[in-house]
Amino acid sequence: MSDQGRRGEQGREREQEQGERQGRRYDQARYVSNGHYEPLLSEKDSTRVDVGDDSPLPDDLTRDSLEFPELSEPELARHYTRLSQMIYGIDSGPYPLGSCTMKYNPKFTEDVAALDAAAVHPDRSAGSIQGTLELCYRLQDYLARIGGMDAVTLQPPAGAAGEFVGIRVASAYHEHNGDDQRDEVIVPESAHGTNFATASLGGYDVVTLPSDDGGRVDLEALEAALSERTAALMLTNPNTLGLFERNITEIAEMVHDVGGLLYYDGANLNALLGRARPGDMGFDVMHYNVHKTFATPHGGGGPGAGPVGVVDELAPFLPEPRVRLRERERGDEGESEGDGEDESEYELFAPEHSIGHVHGFQGNWLVLVKAFAYIARLGDEGLLDASAKAVLNANYLASQIDYEVPYGPFHHEFVASAGDQDAADVARRMLDFGVHPPTTKWPEIVPQALMTEPTEVESKETLDTLAKAFQQAAASSDDELESAPNRTAVGRIDQTSAARNPRLSWQALEDTDSGEDSA
Amino acid sequence: MNGTRTTGSPYAPHTDDDTAAMLEAVGADSVDDLFDIPSAVWFDDEFGIDARTEREARQLVRQTFERNDDLVELLGRGHYGYYVPSLVDHLADRSEFLTSYTQYQPEVSQGFLQALFEYQSLLVELTGLEIANCSMYDAATALGEAATLADRVRDTSGHRVLVPDLLLEGRRSTLENYVAGTDLEVETYPTDDSTVDVEALTDTIDEEVVLCYVENPTVRGTIEERLAEIGDLAHEHDALYVLGSDPVALSLLQRPADVGADVVVGDASVLGLPTSYGMGLGLFATRESYLRQVPGRLVGVSEDATDRRAFTLTLQTREQHIRRERATSNICTNQAWVALRTAMHAASLGPTGLVDLAKRDVTRAKEFAARIDDLDGTTAPVDDRHHLREFVVHVDQPARVIANDLEERGFAVHVVGEHELQVCVAGVSDEQLDAFVEAFTEVLR
């Protein structure tokens, strides 16, 4: 065993002792048997099928063979159950990832999305899927009200896809107006990485905007950045430091004065539900991260959904298809809550100057169903309370930790600084205390950033447990920080070798080593 | 428990006493005091959305869906309704899978990382290419990403992207949006008998072409017969050869690596998801030489401090959260959970089950076409080619009228021309096909 390995073992023993003193933890399970973890499927017996046998096609149109493991249902049930036992989810414990809004996801939304009626083919005639279209229409309406927008498309399959639609819509709008010289998109330095990548993918030069001393948009820098070349400013409000852009009205005016559009990144909408609306602040286009704000499970990295809302002026450019009530029924667009049986007919249509499709079919439909059910469950009262408790929780947790928290006042998230400690080490150390750590090293405005968003679903007791983990990490020695984590399924992972010598499939693993488990 | 639980969000667990204690700790009189929102933009109105009990919310969704007609769907054209085993629902719905985040803390995400690694490995086996990422949104966006990849990796400054004239409108339009920020332009080449017209393609391809896209099977269900020839043609002109397919087709048809494909895209949700109104899973596999230019997430193998094998997201310096405007793609949230479901479904079929499924689709489509061809007033299949799971039917009467009549009898089919319908056998039972033939006979009468 290597020196590092020995240190790991010692660390593990130390953690066991400390664990008994600490009290509540939210550890993941870790399936392990005789020192071995669950093998790869490929490490079980594999079967090679000769495709040419009994083939209804000529040999030259088929592959020769296909090979991978062939397991029974019980074997697979155990394989995946064991894998699931080596994952930390929001159902395992708190997940305070700043800007990622990992809240608890109610279980009933899974059931409504699993209804057989949700499983329709996207090429069905509108007349035969009135229920599906009605749900789309009502969700469009809910989102428009919540965002203060005039029109909504549900098609984008994720937040970043929504950003892309927003940028494409802005681009089509400017082009329609003969404004061809607009080739820049302004993005604050604290923005999500997707904003920069999206603007670039849309063909724009990215102008990075510095923050002022208080962590907000620097109005002088904005003035200097704006010109007749500005297509849009992409802004998150509250921003990624959790700060509300108090000068939002002036910012909107400045952007509009040069003919640019104001884009709202919906990642932090959870902080504003029922208290402020992007449309009222002067934003022209926004995306909603319905999987974050409206609590649909993150599924280990998707699927999400990123509907886009726009003001009337931009509605003709939205992607197709959108859903509307058939012409003759118009004039009665208000939601008829509880009306039940009405004879309205929903239909798909392409807006007049539509940018076309941004997904092969209709986006991530099951995620939209869950978002709809969640909003219908909470209603005005629940949405208002969600933002209240999200903001209360962030402020309370920030007040209970030992790390310095620059800037303020916060809304739903705050960014602490690990100071002399390495934020990534702090995160791994927090895993030893049985909680999921915050987002680290971002935004870069705060050195060794620990970006924390507890969300509204955590109780005071859980927040106190989190605070204690922060305190213990702050009090940890260099050695403890550098050897962490010690209570997880595996110890600290060598990221450098993973990148230098990429082995991205079991085939690559067989090529480079004998597949021996060195544990 | 101290005090009663505050009303409002049913998922916020605070009691009144907790809230009071927390407010005191932060030095605020009320929660509203914590909001730093100028009065000019403070929202004082209501959304007008009624709160409901869980039971009422479930009823609302159920009742809304009751307005859908219950039809047998003989629909395909890029989206398929294969039966998904219950095993997949139950295991993928385990809350650790469902409620975890992207695996940025790999030490507490090993199970998911391993499942995604196995998904990548499955695609490597199916395509024969060296690397696969662990998901894009769907086939259309994966094709868009392939085009921006071509723009980055190709040496010369060409601008033409060639796609078949049969390409689905949703795919072509999505591709055009993806390349809108580049100098690339999408052009079509003609097809003959619903497969690539190789002679016509030879005439149009030149050094300006950066990408040549072919689907196998095509959207009309036909199987391409000259894939290697097309690959040679693309490579002679230094164009990226991109093949569109799906895991069921790939388990039977020519292996993309064997015909020279540089990238394989397509919709992998053919396994693992019910039709779900078009929700997808973009597969993306390519050659190792393009590794540093690949869009999306990659799971790799490494070791932990005690030399145990461990999985981790890797090569993240290509990704938007690090590389920003120089990233290979803006994708962040992807389709990880769908990839998990697809891997589970494929594993539950095993290689034998997968190959059998694809073979049955060929045989069933052929037999079904023969039965339809026997009816008065129809010709099937229209294209004189081998087919996988779907084919086009010529009807003497107007296709729209026939399709409407069929719908009234409980069957959904595509209308693809004035006198052309398209039908698909994937996920449709033999009994349902029998009933369809009966209904079709009546409609034609």
Side-chain angles (χ1 to χ4, degrees):
Chain A
M1 190 180 273
S2 69
D3 282 352
Q4 252 189 329
R6 227 168 270 124
R7 196 169 67 188
E9 289 298 330
Q10 286 166 3
R12 215 162 269 142
E13 283 163 26
R14 201 162 56 225
E15 292 310 322
Q16 297 290 355
E17 289 167 29
Q18 289 184 1
E20 279 148 30
R21 289 202 301 271
Q22 195 214 4
R24 176 156 305 188
R25 294 171 189 272
Y26 300 94
D27 289 325
Q28 57 163 7
R30 44 177 170 160
Y31 172 77
V32 57
S33 172
N34 298 331
H36 292 265
Y37 295 104
E38 176 65 6
L40 282 164
L41 282 175
S42 61
E43 289 161 348
K44 312 188 180 211
D45 286 342
S46 71
T47 304
R48 178 180 293 274
V49 178
D50 185 347
V51 175
D53 293 348
D54 311 316
S55 178
L57 292 174
D59 272 1
D60 60 348
L61 296 187
T62 64
R63 61 190 296 139
D64 295 336
S65 63
L66 183 68
E67 180 178 354
F68 64 93
E70 187 140 27
L71 301 173
S72 68
E73 175 158 338
E75 286 172 306
L76 282 171
R78 287 179 186 154
H79 176 69
Y80 285 109
T81 298
R82 286 166 189 163
L83 293 188
S84 78
Q85 287 171 347
M86 289 168 69
I87 307 169
Y88 186 103
I90 188 72
D91 285 2
S92 316
Y95 228 119
L97 289 174
S99 254
C100 300
T101 311
M102 280 293 285
K103 43 166 123 165
Y104 171 80
N105 330 106
K107 300 303 174 197
F108 86 99
T109 64
E110 295 308 309
D111 293 336
V112 300
L115 292 176
D116 284 349
V120 297
H121 192 283
D123 285 353
R124 284 273 292 263
S125 71
S128 74
I129 50 164
Q130 284 293 298
T132 297
L133 297 184
E134 178 178 349
L135 196 140
C136 287
Y137 184 82
R138 293 178 76 156
L139 180 58
Q140 285 175 188
D141 178 60
Y142 279 168
L143 294 176
R145 293 178 194 215
I146 291 167
M149 290 284 154
D150 296 319
V152 172
T153 173
L154 302 176
Q155 198 179 139
E163 291 173 27
F164 184 57
V165 169
I167 289 300
R168 287 289 303 129
V169 164
S171 181
Y173 168 79
H174 290 313
E175 203 174 299
H176 183 78
N177 294 339
D179 251 357
D180 296 334
Q181 81 289 356
R182 298 189 184 276
D183 59 358
E184 292 178 349
V185 167
I186 304 173
V187 187
E189 63 179 336
S190 64
H192 302 99
T194 47
N195 286 183
F196 302 90
T198 298
S200 175
L201 177 60
Y204 287 100
D205 291 337
V206 178
V207 179
T208 304
L209 197 63
S211 307
D212 68 12
D213 292 343
R216 295 180 176 79
V217 168
D218 184 329
L219 292 184
E220 278 177 32
L222 177 61
E223 185 69 55
L226 287 166
S227 73
E228 72 283 354
R229 294 178 61 187
T230 305
L233 166 64
M234 298 180 86
L235 201 62
T236 309
N237 194 21
N239 66 25
T240 53
L241 291 168
L243 312 177
F244 193 87
E245 297 286 353
R246 296 183 194 122
N247 298 318
I248 187 60
T249 313
E250 288 92 319
I251 293 170
E253 215 172 283
M254 288 164 72
V255 173
H256 291 150
D257 277 351
V258 300
L261 295 172
L262 193 57
Y263 182 92
Y264 182 84
D265 181 318
N268 293 350
L269 188 62
N270 200 41
L272 295 186
L273 289 172
R275 290 170 201 273
R277 306 194 302 176
D280 302 338
M281 297 178 209
F283 286 92
D284 304 294
V285 47
M286 68 177 289
H287 81 263
Y288 304 78
N289 292 84
V290 295
H291 51 294
K292 296 179 177 181
T293 312
F294 305 115
T296 51
H298 214 284
V308 167
V310 295
V311 295
D312 271 331
E313 230 176 338
L314 297 176
F317 302 94
L318 284 177
E320 64 168 305
R322 292 189 60 225
V323 180
R324 69 181 171 200
L325 274 169
R326 202 187 285 281
E327 291 292 340
R328 61 183 170 80
E329 295 289 339
R330 278 187 147 184
D332 180 29
E333 294 210 20
E335 191 192 23
S336 45
E337 286 278 349
D339 237 351
E341 303 296 311
D342 62 321
E343 290 306 309
S344 48
E345 286 273 314
Y346 298 91
E347 65 181 5
L348 295 167
F349 75 106
E352 191 183 357
H353 305 297
S354 175
I355 60 166
H357 294 254
V358 292
H359 184 272
F361 296 103
Q362 320 287 7
N364 282 334
W365 166 243
L366 297 183
V367 179
L368 298 168
V369 175
K370 294 177 197 182
F372 174 82
Y374 179 83
I375 296 170
R377 170 87 173 94
L378 263 65
D380 280 26
E381 193 190 353
L383 294 169
L384 194 68
D385 190 53
S387 61
K389 297 297 162 46
V391 171
L392 175 64
N393 279 3
N395 279 274
Y396 175 70
L397 183 57
S399 75
Q400 302 297 305
I401 68 174
D402 293 342
Y403 291 113
E404 188 206 344
V405 185
Y407 306 113
F410 319 105
H411 275 196
H412 63 306
E413 65 190 4
F414 62 88
V415 183
S417 174
D420 294 339
Q421 295 177 336
D422 183 281
D425 285 345
V426 170
R428 285 186 278 255
R429 181 67 179 147
M430 286 179 74
L431 294 173
D432 282 340
F433 304 123
V435 296
H436 197 285
T439 302
T440 58
K441 300 208 169 178
W442 185 78
E444 288 158 8
I445 303 167
V446 175
Q448 301 300 337
L450 299 167
M451 188 186 194
T452 312
E453 178 179 2
T455 82
E456 70 272 19
V457 303
E458 303 306 342
S459 66
K460 178 174 177 295
E461 186 195 9
T462 303
L463 295 174
D464 289 338
T465 302
L466 264 173
K468 190 164 184 189
F470 270 104
Q471 290 156 10
Q472 287 176 299
S476 296
S477 68
D478 287 352
D479 180 52
E480 286 169 328
L481 285 168
E482 283 161 21
S483 65
N486 288 300
R487 290 173 45 84
T488 45
V490 294
R492 177 173 296 219
I493 295 170
D494 184 352
Q495 303 283 351
T496 313
S497 105
R500 267 202 202 130
N501 174 25
R503 289 169 292 165
L504 308 175
S505 64
W506 64 50
Q507 293 87 345
L509 215 52
E510 284 158 16
D511 290 349
T512 54
D513 63 40
S514 56
E516 290 291 313
D517 189 345
S518 51
Chain B
M1 193 103 156
N2 301 313
T4 49
R5 227 166 59 77
T6 316
T7 55
S9 166
Y11 312 111
H14 306 67
T15 65
D16 290 338
D17 288 355
D18 287 341
T19 303
M22 290 162 75
L23 282 171
E24 197 185 335
V26 300
D29 291 335
S30 76
V31 175
D32 276 1
D33 289 351
L34 298 172
F35 285 83
D36 182 29
I37 300 173
S39 57
V41 293
W42 184 271
F43 179 66
D44 249 341
D45 206 349
E46 291 175 349
F47 300 137
I49 303 170
D50 291 339
R52 292 168 175 84
T53 63
E54 180 174 311
R55 180 190 181 125
E56 288 164 348
R58 280 180 74 150
Q59 270 171 350
L60 172 67
V61 178
R62 187 178 290 277
Q63 282 166 359
T64 307
F65 281 141
E66 274 168 12
R67 295 191 64 192
N68 284 351
D69 296 338
D70 188 14
L71 301 180
V72 175
E73 297 176 336
L74 284 79
L75 300 173
R77 289 182 68 82
H79 199 75
Y80 304 95
Y82 288 102
Y83 175 73
V84 180
S86 288
L87 173 82
V88 174
D89 285 332
H90 282 266
L91 293 176
D93 278 354
R94 284 184 65 88
S95 76
E96 297 89 341
F97 282 127
L98 194 60
T99 77
S100 60
Y101 190 65
T102 303
Q103 301 77 24
Y104 292 134
Q105 292 291 337
E107 298 90 350
V108 288
S109 315
Q110 285 299 301
F112 216 126
L113 287 163
Q114 181 171 336
L116 292 174
F117 182 84
E118 290 174 351
Y119 165 81
Q120 290 175 181
S121 305
L122 186 74
L123 290 186
V124 165
E125 171 63 19
L126 284 168
T127 61
L129 296 172
E130 295 98 346
I131 49 174
N133 76 14
C134 61
S135 79
M136 316 259 49
Y137 305 128
D138 74 336
T141 55
L143 176 57
E145 298 274 8
T148 60
L149 173 81
D151 197 37
R152 288 192 297 275
V153 302
R154 189 154 185 280
D155 296 335
T156 51
S157 60
H159 65 273
R160 300 174 70 201
V161 172
L162 295 184
V163 300
D165 56 7
L166 286 176
L167 187 63
L168 281 169
E169 174 56 24
R171 287 188 188 168
R172 174 169 171 156
S173 183
T174 301
L175 171 63
E176 282 175 345
N177 269 311
Y178 265 75
V179 302
T182 69
D183 293 332
L184 301 181
E185 277 171 37
V186 180
E187 294 176 35
T188 55
Y189 60 80
T191 48
D192 179 26
D193 228 357
S194 296
T195 54
V196 177
D197 182 339
V198 182
E199 283 63 40
L201 180 63
T202 309
D203 290 342
T204 184
I205 201 165
D206 62 18
E207 306 305 320
E208 287 293 300
V209 174
V210 297
L211 189 161
C212 181
Y213 179 62
V214 178
E215 287 181 352
N216 191 35
T218 70
V219 68
R220 283 159 72 102
T222 55
I223 295 168
E224 292 287 352
E225 293 170 21
R226 297 168 72 181
L227 287 174
E229 223 180 306
I230 301 166
D232 289 344
L233 194 57
H235 291 149
E236 272 167 37
H237 298 277
D238 194 24
L240 214 62
Y241 184 29
V242 180
L243 211 55
S245 197
D246 66 77
V248 173
L250 287 169
S251 62
L252 175 64
L253 302 182
Q254 280 177 289
R255 211 170 64 132
D258 297 339
V259 296
D262 300 299
V263 182
V264 177
V265 297
D267 213 308
S269 71
V270 60
L271 297 177
L273 270 191
T275 43
S276 309
Y277 200 39
M279 186 159 153
L281 164 61
L283 80 82
F284 196 101
T286 188
R287 297 178 182 282
E288 192 153 29
S289 47
Y290 301 136
L291 178 60
R292 312 259 158 194
Q293 294 297 331
V294 166
R297 289 196 188 113
L298 297 168
V299 177
V301 169
S302 188
E303 291 79 34
D304 79 351
T306 59
D307 295 329
R308 280 178 212 265
R309 181 171 71 196
F311 300 92
T312 181
L313 295 179
T314 192
L315 298 164
Q316 292 182 64
T317 50
R318 302 163 298 109
E319 292 190 61
Q320 41 72 31
H321 64 281
I322 292 179
R323 189 57 66 87
R324 298 193 166 189
E325 67 265 33
R326 291 182 308 281
T328 52
S329 164
N330 77 333
I331 194 168
C332 181
T333 294
N334 58 13
Q335 304 283 109
W337 185 68
V338 189
L340 170 77
R341 292 182 61 102
T342 296
M344 286 176 171
H345 191 170
S348 81
L349 288 168
T352 312
L354 254 179
V355 171
D356 284 352
L357 180 63
K359 284 178 176 173
R360 269 204 313 276
D361 274 358
V362 172
T363 307
R364 292 180 80 223
K366 190 173 180 176
E367 291 170 359
F368 186 45
R371 290 175 73 185
I372 290 179
D373 194 48
D374 279 347
L375 305 179
D376 283 338
T378 62
T379 311
V382 166
D383 304 302
D384 184 18
R385 299 284 169 185
H386 294 288
H387 287 76
L388 182 70
R389 70 190 157 214
E390 57 194 320
F391 55 88
V392 175
V393 181
H394 175 89
V395 283
D396 296 343
Q397 299 172 48
R400 171 53 60 197
V401 175
I402 301 259
N404 290 347
D405 282 358
L406 284 168
E407 191 171 299
E408 275 177 26
R409 287 171 161 78
F411 298 93
V413 298
H414 302 279
V415 175
V416 297
E418 219 172 302
H419 289 280
E420 285 186 335
L421 300 174
Q422 188 170 328
V423 291
C424 178
V425 300
V428 187
S429 72
D430 289 342
E431 291 74 19
Q432 288 171 326
L433 291 185
D434 291 345
F436 174 80
V437 171
E438 204 171 298
F440 202 14
T441 311
E442 285 170 23
V443 165
L444 291 167
R445 210 168 272 151

